[in-house]
Amino acid sequence: MNSARNHPDPVAVGTLLRHVLELLDGDVAKVYEEQGLAEYRPRFSPVVRALLAEGPLPVRDLAAAVGVTHSAASQTAAQMARAGLVTHTPDPLDARRRLVDLTPKARALLPRIEAEWEATVAAMAELDAELSMPLGELLREVAEAVGRRPFRERVAAAYRPPRGGPMP
């Protein structure tokens, strides 16, 4: 068996990050499916947790609470709405905005969602114990470093165009 097929090139960091995310999220999704929650996705849990903590939120505020882009939060909320887990209702303070809120169906699933979340946290702690540093800590460091100096700037500084060719 060719191990390169199962393990992306470590220099191709984006590919490696996607691979690790697929491994982690894929297994969490399997747990949800085994628990009878086939329509529930791992990416829904941060949204559920934010809505439980903050109450109904406009997508912009939901994105900030979860730490994703507006587009990602909007897409996740739309997926959750299709699964019957959230509603989009007019904001009583600003009719131009819509608020995302949990449905009774989502609230009924909370004990199972929270039990899975606790199990995921425990599994992550077990995985972290096998690593040279906790994965979440490393990823926070990466995000902070890229925030200080965007990766595009780093690539541009290291780029050496072929003779006679401009930077793409």
Side-chain angles (χ1 to χ4, degrees), residues 50 54 57-70 73:
E54 309 275 336
L57 292 170
V59 172
R60 182 187 71 239
D61 295 348
L62 181 60
V66 175
V68 298
T69 64
H70 182 279

Side-chain angles (χ1 to χ4, degrees), residues 27-98:
D27 281 348
V28 171
K30 287 177 188 171
V31 170
Y32 281 124
E33 190 173 325
E34 290 165 359
Q35 299 303 316
L37 299 171
E39 78 281 0
Y40 195 85
R41 301 285 173 261
R43 68 188 292 180
F44 296 173
S45 288
V47 171
V48 169
R49 295 172 63 76
L51 294 174
L52 283 173
E54 309 275 336
L57 292 170
V59 172
R60 182 187 71 239
D61 295 348
L62 181 60
V66 175
V68 298
T69 64
H70 182 279
S71 177
S74 180
Q75 290 173 8
T76 300
Q79 286 180 326
M80 293 178 75
R82 284 191 297 275
L85 300 172
V86 298
T87 58
H88 292 89
T89 58
D91 184 339
L93 302 176
D94 183 349
R96 297 169 295 175
R97 295 189 317 182
R98 299 181 61 73

